[in-house]
Amino acid sequence: MTKVKLCGLTRFCEIETVNKLKPEYIGFVFSQKSRRYVTEEKAAELKAMLDSTIKAVGVFVNEEPEAVARLLNSGVIDMAQIHGTEGEDYVKGLRALTDKPIIKAFRIGKEEDIRLAEKSGADYVLLDSGAGTGRVFDWKLIRNMERPYFLAGGLETGNVETAVKRLKPYAVDVSSGIETGGVKDRIKMAAFVAAVRCAERMDI
């Protein structure tokens, strides 16, 4: 079953919505350059409201591993997604500080990017077109991807059903595709989750 990650949550009303929709994952962005940035304090407040069956993923860009591990080990987040230029040494260093799952994001533009993702020492890999570009990359590049992955990059209600049927990713990750005017839209959030679930039922 393809899992769902709704990323870039910042408001209490969004937590109320996801508690009803029951995606497997949600994301908090801790990169200050992002318009979806949340502080550690705000994330902790949002996490306290989150249904315990939903995993909170913290998204970081070239953050000090000690800071990431602190949020993981304190329970503010359940998993870490590293979305910058962090290499294998960073993954190893972070793993020495925490036993929580790590997702490493890869920008997919050529075959070599797939080979790097395949070899990653992270628990999961996320395949994207870039750092929050909202664009779809060439899915043909990952048709032979062997390890499970989070699919991101330009996903929205209109194309996620095709992505699930064609690629069968471990999970799909969306942020801008469930927004209106730069703000999370509960109707789009519900439609996205419904599209994924529908694709699964039709594929049985």
Side-chain angles (χ1 to χ4, degrees), residues 19 27 36 40-42 45 58 73 76 80 86 90 107 110 113 133 135 138 164 168 170 176 184 186-187 198:
N19 284 345
R36 305 179 184 100
E40 296 181 16
E41 294 75 19
K42 183 63 175 291
E45 293 174 356
N73 295 334
V76 173
E86 306 91 349
Y90 184 99
R107 180 175 183 174
K110 55 186 183 300
D113 300 325
T133 62
R135 296 195 299 268
D138 185 359
V164 170
K168 296 179 171 54
Y170 168 77
S176 61
K184 291 293 181 290
R186 63 182 181 83
I187 294 176
C198 180

Side-chain angles (χ1 to χ4, degrees), residues 2-3 13 22 29 31-32 36-38 48 62 66 68-69 79 93 101 123 127 130 132 134 150 169 173 178 197 202:
T2 299
K3 302 180 187 303
C13 61
K22 296 292 194 296
V29 178
S31 171
Q32 293 189 29
R36 305 179 184 100
Y37 168 71
V38 293
N62 301 325
E66 291 79 9
V68 178
M79 304 170 68
D123 298 282
L127 311 182
F150 284 73
D173 186 322
I178 51 172
R197 303 309 185 212
M202 292 174 66

Side-chain angles (χ1 to χ4, degrees), residues 26-39:
I26 59 96
F28 298 135
V29 178
F30 292 100
S31 171
Q32 293 189 29
K33 293 182 179 180
S34 172
R35 60 183 173 81
R36 305 179 184 100
Y37 168 71
V38 293
T39 64

Side-chain angles (χ1 to χ4, degrees), residues 51-149:
D51 187 300
S52 62
T53 63
I54 302 171
K55 299 295 184 184
V57 180
V59 181
F60 303 90
V61 178
N62 301 325
E63 181 60 80
E64 290 296 327
E66 291 79 9
V68 178
R70 184 180 71 254
L71 287 175
L72 286 164
N73 295 334
S74 66
V76 173
I77 53 175
D78 304 301
M79 304 170 68
Q81 176 180 320
I82 51 178
H83 214 101
T85 58
E86 306 91 349
E88 283 301 297
D89 287 343
Y90 184 99
V91 174
K92 292 177 183 177
L94 180 56
R95 201 178 291 286
L97 299 172
T98 182
D99 61 356
K100 303 297 184 181
I102 302 168
I103 305 169
K104 171 60 182 144
F106 290 85
R107 180 175 183 174
I108 304 301
K110 55 186 183 300
E111 295 286 346
E112 177 61 22
D113 300 325
I114 300 300
R115 288 191 284 273
L116 290 173
E118 291 275 19
K119 296 176 183 177
S120 174
D123 298 282
Y124 302 93
V125 294
L126 181 144
L127 311 182
D128 200 352
S129 57
T133 62
R135 296 195 299 268
V136 176
F137 62 87
D138 185 359
W139 291 345
K140 292 179 182 177
L141 289 170
I142 59 174
R143 60 185 180 276
N144 297 318
M145 184 77 176
E146 295 182 0
R147 72 181 290 178
Y149 59 89

